[in-house]
Amino acid sequence: MTGAMRPEMLNPLFAATDGLKGVGPGLARPLEKLGLTRVRDLAYHLPERFVQRRAIASLDVASVGEQVVVALTPREYRSAAGRGPFRIMAEDDLGDYVSLTYFGRNGGWAKKQLPLGERRWVAGRLDQFGQTLQMVHPDHVSEEGGAALSTLCEPVYALSEGLTQGRLQALVAQALEHLADLPEWIEPGLLAKMGWPTWREAIALAHKGEHALARDRLAYDELLANSLALMLVRTANRARIGTPLHGDGHLRALLNLPFALTGAQLRSIREIEDDMQQGAPMLRLLQGDVGSGKTAVALHAMLAAVEAGAQAAMLAPTEILARQHYETLTRMAKGTGVEIALLTGRDKGRARESILMGLLDGSIQICVGTHAIFQDAVAYRNLALVVIDEQHRFGVGQRLLLTQKGRRTPHCLAMTATPIPRTLTLAQYGEMDVSRLDEMPPGRQAIDTRVVALDRLADVVEGVGRHLAKGGQAYWVCPMVRELESEDIAAAEARFAALTARFGDDVVLVHGQLRPEAKDAAMERFASGIAKVLVATTVIEVGVDVPNATLMVIEQAERFGLAQLHQLRGRVGRGSEASTCLLLRGDALSETGRERLALMRETQDGFLLAEEDLRLRGGGELLGTRQSGETPFRVADFEQIARLLPLAHDDARLLIERDGGLDSPRGEAARLLLYLFERDWGVQLLRGG
Ligand code: ADP
Ligand code: MG
């Protein structure tokens, strides 16, 4: 559904990068790994930082490899025979020589810039070639302004294997040539007040140097697109017809849960029930830390729907989680006689047919599964409630669209285990109503969290050994910190090898480059207790539940955000045994790094940690403060989200209040924006879907 209706004006931006000059099959993969498959992606692949050149008085003070600006006087031109490079031998103020080397050129252009005997400022990277110093294709040459050149800076981009900074810079430059002016979607008053450049200028500036206004503008665009899309979903939702559900409680009375619900659970259930009784479909988020008991709340909601004669479905992000939910719900609802089915992409043939029949004739009242439960072939007799276990917080909009099938719109309850700050709640869920499970079930054991210096690694490994000897299992988390993913994986593999050497076959490794089957197999071995230690990069964040694993070691813990650490730590402390989390820290710990780890030791309150996380961000020392997969944003960083999102949100609201169909000139521009940031599911809703 993307693409077909995209405004033509954006076509050049969505052209494939493999159509650019110099992109052969060799570059296609590295580009794809970075998500740079279209011109648009390159334009938004903003530099991570910039290099600045050092102005030097003479060559002897520079080191090889350094980016410098130096005054040179060309003394001699040397044209090599055949296809050799053209060289200009140039002398610095102390009489030392450097070769300015030009490949593939006849030298005409270089001669013009660097006439013999005339002093020029030259900027570039100093290299060694045999016995001589050389500068290959100097970046800049000018008659004066050495100072200006030394304040010039060069972008440094995130790379993947097979790409160099030079290649990427050249590709970005090509991409920028494809940019046309786009109509302005930002409210003119705001644009003027902020002093922001136009979209096209902003992109160009953001690649050129630390340009805060340009970066802010681009971040704002992204936030605005997101807010608009979510608000369109919300508005469309309000206009839809739902099914008022009045559960009379007869099924819930048959539940025989081994515990009493907490106050927070009771309150959330009441809020959900209220919503479901309305004519407009519910759009509610249930936020509750790992272990806060969301499943029981979901079950109550689904039973209320069934009591009212309707069906309910629960959507899980992975097969494993779908299965876990299915088993839990079946166990909990045993006494009620309600028919629950599990439907995943793996089900084939007879079994699948029979589930489809049951959903169609209504004999199955609750269906749990992966996105397979919303495929076209799946028809429900009377689906009136959809619960989305939103472990992976994005794509909420799309998922909501999935539920918009049929004449009547089902009520929707999204559940998230990630306690996020209020500002981010807005970013990810727009104006959904929120219920919070801010109270843990009684009797939870606190996770004993300790900060340990990395130089005590040997002790830590021995500690793991003692833990395993007692029959326990452990997680060992290696972070993703380097520029290239492969290096991180190498580090994780090295740790895996070391632990295997110590503990034998009891160790399994899981990381992002494994094939899904291999990953599943490793997870399965760990979950079933065959494997005792799971070495993993941060992929284990996405819910696994192994109650017997009560020890977690996190390497380079200072590089993680608090929310991420909290999420990771939530993997232990799930059983009745006391759990331990060891945060291994490097020795160069900053003040905020220290503060973060101390907070982890002191509190287990996910909401508090989430708020503090946002406050302590910004130094850029954390793993992926940008493009991390922790937010639905690629351009806006945490600091910008906190500062600009409220503005974007208000702006989006005003625009939609005035021009709900996005028909005004500014509305049209806003449509472009939605396509640009691929929030066009927002636009689809406008077409009366
Ligand atoms: P999550 O919010 O992470 O999905 P679960 O629903 O899986 O949490 O609940 C975690 C554990 O707590 C389960 O074993 C569940 O049975 C238990 N639990 C849920 N509610 C309560 C309660 N009110 N009192 C005691 N235990 C509870
Ligand atoms: Mg859960």
Side-chain angles (χ1 to χ4, degrees), residues 257-375:
L257 297 181
F259 48 76
L261 295 171
T262 64
Q265 283 171 318
L266 288 169
R267 192 188 61 231
S268 300
I269 291 168
R270 215 160 37 235
E271 288 165 351
I272 292 164
E273 267 190 291
D274 275 355
D275 280 4
M276 294 202 309
Q277 289 175 6
Q278 309 304 314
M282 165 170 76
L283 201 49
R284 184 170 283 276
L285 177 68
L286 177 64
Q287 234 179 356
D289 223 334
V290 169
S292 60
K294 292 185 292 298
T295 320
V297 174
L299 177 62
H300 273 259
M302 293 195 287
L303 288 179
V306 176
E307 286 164 9
Q311 289 168 301
M314 186 182 215
L315 177 64
T318 65
E319 300 233 2
I320 294 181
L321 285 169
R323 203 167 296 277
Q324 275 183 6
H325 277 315
Y326 169 73
E327 281 159 13
T328 311
L329 293 171
T330 308
R331 189 164 10 92
M332 282 180 163
K334 208 164 66 202
T336 63
V338 169
E339 193 63 33
I340 305 179
L342 173 70
L343 183 64
T344 71
R346 277 191 201 162
D347 297 308
K348 298 269 146 51
R350 275 264 173 76
R352 181 181 157 85
E353 286 308 314
S354 121
I355 293 173
L356 294 189
M357 283 302 291
L359 292 173
L360 192 59
D361 68 18
S363 57
I364 294 173
Q365 290 139 315
I366 294 177
C367 178
V368 184
T370 54
H371 59 271
I373 64 177
F374 290 122
Q375 277 160 3

Side-chain angles (χ1 to χ4, degrees), residues 17 49 99 113 234 325 343 360 384 407 428 458 513 535 545 605 629 637 667:
T17 36
R49 60 197 160 85
S99 159
Q113 277 198 310
R234 186 47 159 154
H325 277 315
L343 183 64
L360 192 59
R407 241 165 9 88
Q428 270 150 214
Q513 276 181 7
V535 180
D545 193 2
D605 178 338
D637 64 23

Side-chain angles (χ1 to χ4, degrees), residues 122-265:
V122 182
R125 192 186 130 107
L126 209 56
D127 288 315
Q128 185 100 36
F129 177 68
Q131 293 304 307
T132 46
L133 284 175
Q134 79 169 353
M135 205 185 269
V136 178
H137 295 212
D139 298 322
H140 307 277
V141 175
S142 76
E143 279 183 52
E144 52 219 271
L149 286 184
S150 67
T151 57
L152 247 193
C153 44
E154 212 106 70
V156 179
Y157 295 102
L159 294 179
S160 61
E161 225 83 42
L163 265 175
T164 60
Q165 291 296 341
R167 286 310 273 284
L168 203 45
Q169 279 175 24
L171 290 176
V172 168
Q174 271 193 73
L176 296 189
E177 283 168 23
H178 284 78
L179 304 190
D181 285 316
L182 295 178
E184 186 56 72
W185 46 73
I186 297 181
E187 202 272 310
L190 179 66
L191 194 73
K193 184 175 138 218
M194 300 306 245
W196 284 337
T198 66
W199 172 75
R200 188 176 165 191
E201 285 167 353
I203 296 232
L205 286 170
H207 284 280
K208 255 191 218 148
E210 285 295 347
H211 201 296
L213 289 177
R215 255 189 106 156
D216 275 0
R217 193 234 139 97
L218 298 177
Y220 184 81
D221 287 348
E222 188 179 40
L223 298 169
L224 181 63
N226 192 65
S227 290
L228 268 174
L230 289 171
M231 223 165 278
L232 286 168
V233 171
R234 186 47 159 154
T235 310
N237 182 264
R238 285 205 175 103
R240 282 172 189 272
I241 303 167
T243 310
L245 298 172
H246 297 272
D248 61 5
H250 75 273
L251 292 174
R252 283 170 286 171
L254 298 173
L255 276 180
N256 194 8
L257 297 181
F259 48 76
L261 295 171
T262 64
Q265 283 171 318

